Amino acid sequence: MMKKESKSFIRAKRLAFAALLSALSFVLMYAGALSGVFDLCAVVGGALCCAFAVIEMGGMWPWLVCSVTGALSLLLLPDKFVALEYIALGGISPIIKAYLERLPKAPGYALKVLSFNVMLTVCLLLAKFVLGIQDEWAAFNIIVYLAGNVFFIIFDYALTVFITYYVQRLRQKLKIRL
């Protein structure tokens, strides 16, 4: 006969798990920032950690993982743009995805693309005016938005495939109880 866990014990387990996911995401961001090449791969890895938090814990916990990883990335990464990429794409997108996929398919997908474009615009504005990144691509041009939207569509599809595979196959085998 199993003992029922108290609410405070469950909260402590979730907090510890959120801290582990935040630490893993930050390590991925740091490796991506140091490489200079694999920054988007690191952001996708961070997004998987955040998606994992959405699936297993829900509620405020994915927001906590996103906030902690984003704050640590902004404070400690040598390349601050990687932190902005994580916040705009890797952290918030899986959380928004969970809410928008409850809507009918066409409006939900349109809102996902719209939310990505808003986050991309905010990211570019912060890079230019707050962080002082003055690259030629930081200007608002159509190429950045086209490439970004193509990447987002591929990213969203890959995230859907990962989530489906995890929920249908791996979740029962891992038996994570949070």
Side-chain angles (χ1 to χ4, degrees):
M1 184 174 185
M2 288 182 50
K3 265 197 316 190
K4 189 172 179 177
E5 297 175 342
S6 69
K7 282 187 178 184
S8 62
F9 182 73
I10 292 171
R11 233 176 290 148
K13 276 180 26 178
R14 288 184 176 177
L15 181 63
F17 195 69
L20 287 172
L21 288 175
S22 297
L24 178 62
S25 293
F26 176 71
V27 167
L28 290 171
M29 293 304 111
Y30 198 77
L34 288 179
S35 73
V37 178
F38 298 111
D39 56 338
L40 282 178
C41 293
V43 169
V44 170
L48 292 177
C49 290
C50 201
F52 196 65
V54 169
I55 295 167
E56 290 300 333
M57 296 183 288
M60 69 163 192
W61 299 105
W63 292 103
L64 182 67
V65 170
C66 176
S67 301
V68 168
T69 306
L72 286 174
S73 297
L74 280 173
L75 291 172
L76 301 174
L77 289 184
D79 185 2
K80 304 300 183 202
F81 194 70
V82 176
L84 289 178
E85 288 174 339
Y86 171 76
I87 293 168
L89 183 64
I92 295 175
S93 285
I95 301 169
I96 291 175
K97 179 180 177 66
Y99 290 115
L100 292 180
E101 287 193 348
R102 296 176 188 159
L103 298 174
K105 199 168 201 164
Y109 201 75
L111 286 172
K112 280 194 279 188
V113 172
L114 177 68
S115 69
F116 168 74
N117 283 303
V118 167
M119 290 184 285
L120 179 61
T121 303
V122 169
C123 186
L124 291 173
L125 286 171
L126 286 173
K128 185 173 184 176
F129 295 114
V130 176
L131 299 177
I133 299 174
Q134 298 293 331
D135 288 334
E136 61 275 358
W137 59 266
F140 292 100
N141 59 33
I142 194 82
I143 296 170
V144 171
Y145 284 95
L146 284 176
N149 281 295
V150 168
F151 174 78
F152 178 73
I153 291 167
I154 294 168
F155 166 75
D156 187 62
Y157 177 74
L159 193 59
T160 301
V161 168
F162 166 77
I163 290 169
T164 303
Y165 181 76
Y166 174 75
V167 169
Q168 290 179 351
R169 303 248 173 124
L170 292 178
R171 195 173 192 193
Q172 293 173 351
K173 292 178 184 177
L174 294 176
K175 297 178 185 175
I176 297 173
R177 309 231 192 268
L178 295 174

